[in-house]
Amino acid sequence: MRFDILTIFPDMFAALTRFGIVGQAVKGGKIEINVVNIRDFSDKPHFMTDDRPYGGGEGMVMKPEPIVRALQSIPKVPGNRKVILLTPQGQLLEQSLARSLGTLAQLILVCGRYEGVDERIRSRYVDMEVSIGDYILTGGEIPAMVIVDAVSRLVPGVLGSERSALEESFEDSLLEYPQYTRPPIFQGESVPSILLSGDHGKIRIWRRTQSLQKTLERRPDLLKRASLSEEDRAILEELKQRPSTSATTAGRSKSHDTNDLDGLA
Ligand code: ADE
């Protein structure tokens, strides 16, 4: 899969292309990330890419011509492609959208800055507008990185087979169960004994119960679209009867009471 990113801050994308799983995917040729500097397509003095808004008002608007020239410079790859504008006015990014974007051959991401881009870019060149959440950032670069990250990890071969299986567990819209590693006792808090028991049947049910409980407490809205088995429904019914005792809730209040970060030194 190929990502083309139009931005006036190309250097920001080193954070994505040089590190971690996405960086490895680029090096391994699983994905291609092409960052295009919109300034290179300005024909104005000082490589200007913005101008004052017609009608007056605060701030600057990104000019259409450099963006169009930048778009035209991008080679087409065979298969489906989409041009996405990052904007708080767009469709909210969710896992389901990441999944459908992951089926494309090419994704072109246009990063706005200032008060936004000239409306004629949106109306004539953009297939879809996407927001990463109901808050306003200073530009579309970080949202573009979020999309590339969320979509890349769904491209076959980017995650190892072990991790792909984990991904499937998110497919059912539940929050993850808590994870522990060594040491078995940390600052007086023990790993739940069931995880040390070696009883894989019990461990599976414990994890599923934790997932369901965490989702019920934090994101009950997700339960409506979750694919729940008969066993899940029975666990949920039981959880609804009992007072909240999840590891997450207990751990959180405890850390507020007793955790002194200075004590880490
Ligand atoms: N640009 C500024 N804020 C944004 C957001 N929340 N999502 C996408 N693009 C943005």
Side-chain angles (χ1 to χ4, degrees):
M1 178 166 187
R2 175 181 167 124
F3 299 89
D4 295 278
I5 301 160
L6 273 63
T7 172
I8 58 166
F9 294 125
D11 292 348
M12 284 179 76
F13 289 87
L16 194 62
T17 55
R18 291 189 25 208
F19 302 97
I21 287 171
V22 176
Q24 276 169 21
V26 171
K27 280 189 205 93
K30 305 275 188 237
I31 58 169
E32 201 178 329
I33 300 181
N34 173 40
V35 185
V36 179
N37 189 347
I38 298 170
R39 279 191 204 288
D40 291 345
F41 297 88
S42 167
D43 57 3
K44 296 278 181 262
H46 310 295
F47 305 101
M48 199 179 89
T49 55
D50 58 337
D51 209 337
R52 284 167 295 136
Y54 276 122
E58 290 298 308
M60 301 289 269
V61 176
M62 289 181 78
K63 292 172 65 54
E65 308 94 314
I67 295 178
V68 170
R69 285 194 286 266
L71 282 171
Q72 285 166 344
S73 78
I74 293 171
K76 283 193 172 74
V77 307
N80 292 338
R81 69 178 207 163
K82 258 193 199 323
V83 177
I84 289 186
L85 176 68
L86 286 313
T87 160
Q89 282 85 47
Q91 176 181 339
L92 214 50
L93 178 67
E94 292 193 350
Q95 191 65 21
S96 53
L97 177 57
R99 223 175 292 126
S100 70
L101 296 177
T103 65
L104 298 170
Q106 187 173 23
L107 197 55
I108 299 166
L109 299 163
V110 181
C111 305
R113 280 266 147 187
Y114 318 114
E115 296 308 305
V117 305
D118 187 286
E119 181 67 10
R120 291 160 294 183
I121 290 296
R122 196 196 60 73
S123 62
R124 304 176 77 84
Y125 291 92
V126 167
D127 300 311
M128 183 179 216
E129 296 168 71
V130 175
S131 162
I132 62 157
D134 291 337
Y135 38 80
I136 314 287
L137 301 170
T138 55
E141 281 76 10
I142 290 171
M145 288 188 226
V146 169
I147 293 186
V148 175
D149 191 294
V151 173
S152 294
R153 63 188 291 290
L154 302 175
V155 170
V158 168
L159 299 181
S161 55
E162 218 176 288
R163 287 205 176 101
S164 317
L166 261 183
E167 168 59 29
E168 277 159 31
S169 88
F170 191 84
E171 296 291 299
D172 59 16
S173 297
L174 295 183
L175 301 184
E176 287 291 336
Y177 51 80
Q179 297 275 19
Y180 295 85
T181 185
R182 283 178 286 183
I185 304 173
F186 175 70
Q187 295 188 349
E189 186 173 341
S190 298
V191 173
S193 55
I194 200 153
L195 297 177
L196 311 175
S197 70
D199 185 333
H200 295 292
K202 282 194 177 143
I203 290 172
R204 186 191 65 76
I205 293 175
W206 181 86
R207 286 180 164 166
R208 194 68 183 170
T209 305
Q210 290 290 322
S211 268
L212 288 162
Q213 182 162 9
K214 202 190 264 195
T215 312
L216 184 65
E217 287 171 359
R218 298 186 181 185
R219 295 290 307 277
D221 57 302
L222 292 179
L223 288 173
K224 289 194 197 83
R225 51 175 132 137
S227 49
L228 299 175
S229 65
E230 280 305 310
E231 182 188 70
D232 293 334
R233 289 180 200 286
I235 294 171
L236 270 176
E237 277 318 303
E238 208 219 300
L239 286 172
K240 284 177 187 165
Q241 309 298 324
R242 52 162 125 133
S244 169
T245 53
S246 77
T248 48
T249 321
R252 233 177 335 148
S253 53
K254 191 167 165 202
S255 66
H256 281 304
D257 296 344
T258 60
N259 250 357
D260 180 358
L261 284 182
D262 295 340
L264 280 178

